[in-house]
């Protein structure tokens, strides 16, 4: 596990959070109690979240450092959890590089021009720190407020980003995604490789700004078999994890409905793999 070999307080990790229960657990060290944190923002479960989000669209909320800071801190204040999760959305880096998309209430991310051909890849330029300056600002505000409580950076994994881009929005069966993956494996590989570069750049911004750990969230990868995952998804996820390995911060990987994939998700380069409610912890 690379987190066990991390450079500790002398490296990228924040000295104030290094010995926290969450960080110790990530390194598989003895902890005073089992650390608890939210995999994603507390969201609709908190009345204070609903109040602060009133009249503000999701993507706008993710681009306002004041709101990001407030929402990230809410579950820490209310529940005294052992780590904060940066408030964001998986499509934020795509929006930041100019992809025409929006998050429709009650629907989810909707992409105006889905990616179906090689020419469509032109939508995906490189992400620079200036594209997400609000992330750097919010991270600075948060680390100042959190003190010894670790802050977990957050990004969507290449497969899930690809599924939204190819389908044009949420999908139950991912027909277009699988058609591209099986029908044009080279275009699929190039798409995921491009998304891996964008995602890695997004996580690097967060680590540079003070994130103590980072999480790669693969909402829809449970739609694939282990063989498809290994062949068509794992190389891109590995590229993301490898790109941030030198920082020495723990890398978390989580997917939904991924019981059959947990071993492979660990092989992709994660230090911590999340199991959803379908998988008994033991």
């Amino acid at each position: 596990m690379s987190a066990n070999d991390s450079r500790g307080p002398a490296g990228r990790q924040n000295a104030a959070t290094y010995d926290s229960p969450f960080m110790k657990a990530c390194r598989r060290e003895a902890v005073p109690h089992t650390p608890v944190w939210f995999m994603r923002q507390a969201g609709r479960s908190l009345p204070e979240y609903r109040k602060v989000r009133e009249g503000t669209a999701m993507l706008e909320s993710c681009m306002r450092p004041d709101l990001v800071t407030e929402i990230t801190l809410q579950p820490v204040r209310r529940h005294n959890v052992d780590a904060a999760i940066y408030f964001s959305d998986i499509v934020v880096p795509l929006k930041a590089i100019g992809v025409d998309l929006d998050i429709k209430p009650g629907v989810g991310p909707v992409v105006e021009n889905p990616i179906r051909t090689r020419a469509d890849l032109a939508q995906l330029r490189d992400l620079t720190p200036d594209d997400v300056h609000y992330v750097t600002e919010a991270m600075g505000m948060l680390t100042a407020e959190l003190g010894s409580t670790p802050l977990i950076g957050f990004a969507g994994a290449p497969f899930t980003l690809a599924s939204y881009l190819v389908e044009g929005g949420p999908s139950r069966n991912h027909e277009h995604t699988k058609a591209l993956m099986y029908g044009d494996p080279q275009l699929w590989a190039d798409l995921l490789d491009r998304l891996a570069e964008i995602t890695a750049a997004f996580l690097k911004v967060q680590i540079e700004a003070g994130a103590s750990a980072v999480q790669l969230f693969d909402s829809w990868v449970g739609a694939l078999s282990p063989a498809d995952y290994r062949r068509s998804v794992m190389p891109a996820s590995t590229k993301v994890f490898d790109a941030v390995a030198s920082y020495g911060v723990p890398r978390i990987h989580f997917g939904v409905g991924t019981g059959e994939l947990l071993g492979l998700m660990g092989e992709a380069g994660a230090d911590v793999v999340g199991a959803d409610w379908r998988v008994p912890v033991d």
Side-chain angles (χ1 to χ4, degrees):
M1 289 172 57
S2 62
N4 285 326
D5 301 323
S6 70
R7 296 167 291 171
R12 180 61 59 185
Q13 293 187 18
N14 185 328
T17 66
Y18 186 77
D19 288 322
S20 65
F22 168 79
M23 296 296 285
K24 281 178 173 286
C26 288
R27 299 192 300 267
R28 295 193 293 183
E29 296 174 5
V31 290
H33 62 268
T34 301
V36 175
W37 68 97
F38 283 93
M39 296 298 296
R40 290 206 56 186
Q41 64 271 11
R44 289 185 293 271
S45 69
L46 297 186
E48 57 266 41
Y49 170 84
R50 295 194 297 271
K51 183 175 180 181
V52 79
R53 275 283 319 279
E54 254 177 34
T56 306
M58 179 63 182
L59 280 174
E60 183 186 344
S61 300
C62 296
M63 296 175 187
R64 282 181 47 186
D66 59 332
L67 267 182
V68 169
T69 301
E70 170 60 22
I71 293 169
T72 300
L73 291 173
Q74 284 177 349
V76 181
R77 290 196 203 107
R78 178 180 276 263
H79 300 299
N80 196 29
V81 287
D82 291 283
I85 179 74
Y86 183 75
F87 174 71
S88 187
D89 188 88
I90 60 172
V91 299
V92 164
L94 300 180
K95 184 71 172 180
I97 62 171
V99 176
D100 190 356
L101 62 82
D102 197 12
I103 299 177
K104 307 275 189 188
V107 178
V110 175
V111 179
E112 184 66 27
N113 301 302
I115 291 179
R116 305 280 172 81
T117 68
R118 182 160 295 279
D120 295 331
L121 286 180
Q123 297 180 56
L124 303 178
R125 66 166 175 82
D126 292 342
L127 178 91
T128 71
D130 287 342
D131 292 322
V132 287
H133 57 87
Y134 44 84
V135 173
T136 301
E137 185 178 342
M139 283 271 177
M141 295 165 67
L142 281 164
T143 52
E145 289 272 350
L146 286 165
S148 61
T149 301
L151 174 61
I152 306 170
F154 174 83
F159 175 82
T160 291
L161 293 178
S163 74
Y164 280 116
L165 287 169
V166 174
E167 299 291 338
S171 171
R172 184 177 296 274
N173 298 310
H174 308 281
E175 293 96 337
H176 294 293
T177 304
K178 291 181 178 180
L180 179 60
M181 186 174 74
Y182 296 136
D184 194 339
Q186 188 57 57
L187 175 57
W188 174 259
D190 292 345
L191 170 60
L192 260 66
D193 189 69
R194 186 83 57 90
L195 290 170
E197 292 174 355
I198 293 165
T199 299
F202 190 53
L203 289 178
K204 285 178 181 179
V205 167
Q206 295 176 59
I207 296 169
E208 293 281 355
S212 297
V214 289
Q215 175 177 256
L216 195 64
F217 202 94
D218 217 347
S219 309
W220 305 126
V221 77
L224 299 182
S225 70
D228 284 340
Y229 177 87
R230 182 184 287 280
R231 179 180 60 251
S232 303
V233 174
M234 192 169 164
S237 295
T238 298
K239 182 171 183 172
V240 175
F241 286 127
D242 286 351
V244 298
S246 64
Y247 290 102
V249 302
R251 298 159 298 173
I252 304 167
H253 202 6
F254 180 73
V256 179
T258 51
E260 297 84 357
L261 304 178
L262 294 180
L264 291 171
M265 290 170 72
E267 284 182 40
D271 303 303
V272 180
V273 175
D276 71 8
W277 58 270
R278 301 166 181 85
V279 179
V281 175
D282 60 354

